[in-house]
Amino acid sequence: MTGPVGTVMAREGHTYRVAMDDREVQAVLRGKVKRSEAERKVVVGDRVHLDAPEEGGTWTIAAVEPRRNLLERRVPEGRGNRPVASNLDRIFVLTSAIDPEPVPQLVDRLLVLAEANEVLAAVIVNKIDLDPGAAIVARMRTAGYEVFAVSAETGQGLDLLLPELQGHVSLLTGPSGAGKSSLMNRIEPGLVLRTGAISEKVRRGKNTTVSAVMVPLAMGGFLVDTPGFSEVGLWGIEPRELASCFPEIRPLIDECKFADCRHLIEPACAVRAAVKSGTIQADRYDSYTVLLEELTSAPRDWE
Ligand code: GDP
Ligand code: ZN
């Protein structure tokens, strides 16, 4: 590989915005890359090798480096998954402590999405200037997640969060109203405006579905914004796979009597025993059963 290496920041129709160390360029796929099935879909976060333009030409993407991970919206059999972003260091699931009241099941749903894609996940509880959010913070820590309690308003708790973002590629997601925009602007003034401007361009491109956009942070690292991602379903996750997407359930799976235990009504189920004894929180288990039900009753209105 000879050409310069860059990171794909956004896709605008057939062109890709690629950040190199010292600048950003627009690049298109070279024929060979286009034809190669594995590399056909270049996504935000991909590390790509570029060829410099000939006189008056455009930069071309010559090759895509192997991905560390790939966040996909999984869709039903045969439709092909929708790649969203690659090479993520961590997905931060954002919720407010209050106003609006946190919805633990929505937090669980987004964490499951991260787990199913094998991306490290953590939780951010925002608006702690209004309420410490003790219940949701304790719930998620007990489940095994790292929790950052912050206030985008006052900056409280940011001293612990910022070093986690610095130098890393992070995706921030959560229900609207939780304070994602406020938090992004607290992380770096003007960030929402910059992200919005890129999203706007992407929307005017050929793709009607809004895809991910990535913005560099002045302190080093990148934030990935995926508008609408928090509303996606869990389609395509194998029901069998679900229990392993709950970190506190995962270690118990092999202790159930039956290898194909769904942890619902089966006898000698280690998971239900742990719920009964209080080792696993009842409402985390409830999330498991609700999501399992959703995954086993194939949705028709998936899009
Ligand atoms: P988004 O929809 O997730 O992008 O949420 P916004 O950033 O637009 O915030 C929603 C509302 O919550 C706005 O009125 C913000 O001013 C407010 N808000 C966001 N973060 C905080 C916070 O940490 N503390 C308080 N008190 N209000 C906040
Ligand atoms: Zn079981």
Side-chain angles (χ1 to χ4, degrees), residues 30 51-60:
R30 204 165 72 182
D51 282 337
E54 313 258 302
E55 189 83 34
T58 56
W59 288 81
T60 53

Side-chain angles (χ1 to χ4, degrees), residues 252-253 256-258 261-264 266-272:
L252 295 172
I253 297 170
C256 296
K257 180 172 182 193
F258 298 104
C261 189
R262 293 164 305 157
H263 325 298
L264 295 177
E266 294 84 350
C269 169
V271 174
R272 276 191 306 124

